[in-house]
Amino acid sequence: MMDLNTQIKTFLFSVLFGILFSFIIDIIHKKLFKLNILLQIILSFIFVISSSLIYFLILLKLNNAIIHPYYIIAFIIGFLIEYVLKKIFKRIVLLFKKWYNSFGG
């Protein structure tokens, strides 16, 4: 049985790792877009495997690598948070560009 402090730390780590993972996936896919499709698949596979290993190694330090379903859900929530934040920031940037251009910028 885990104490509440460890569970909260692991939950927050899962959310933050999901955000980081989603951000890095976006960057990698933008950079790999120009490569051969087979090379894209191989490099994406290597990245996912290495990220999973890092996630489990950090979980090993936090809570002896105990995985509960809500940690996976927290990871997915972090992934979705990054996606939504990216959309919001794009809209804000577009609004500022329109506002700036409306003043003759």
Side-chain angles (χ1 to χ4, degrees), residues 60-90:
L60 183 65
K61 292 287 184 184
L62 287 175
N63 67 356
N64 295 325
I66 298 172
I67 300 174
H68 289 287
Y70 56 84
Y71 295 150
I72 305 299
I73 293 169
F75 178 81
I76 293 169
I77 288 170
F79 201 89
L80 294 174
I81 287 172
E82 192 275 334
Y83 178 77
V84 170
L85 287 177
K86 181 176 60 174
K87 294 281 186 184
I88 291 171
F89 286 140
K90 280 184 181 181

Side-chain angles (χ1 to χ4, degrees), residues 28-69:
I28 285 176
H29 280 286
K30 287 179 184 175
K31 297 295 181 185
L32 293 179
F33 184 69
K34 301 173 186 174
L35 297 176
N36 183 353
I37 188 72
L38 181 63
L39 191 56
Q40 285 180 4
I41 292 170
I42 291 170
L43 291 176
S44 294
F45 181 75
I46 290 171
F47 173 72
V48 169
I49 294 297
S50 61
S51 296
S52 300
L53 180 63
I54 291 169
Y55 180 74
F56 289 119
L57 288 174
I58 294 173
L59 275 183
L60 183 65
K61 292 287 184 184
L62 287 175
N63 67 356
N64 295 325
I66 298 172
I67 300 174
H68 289 287

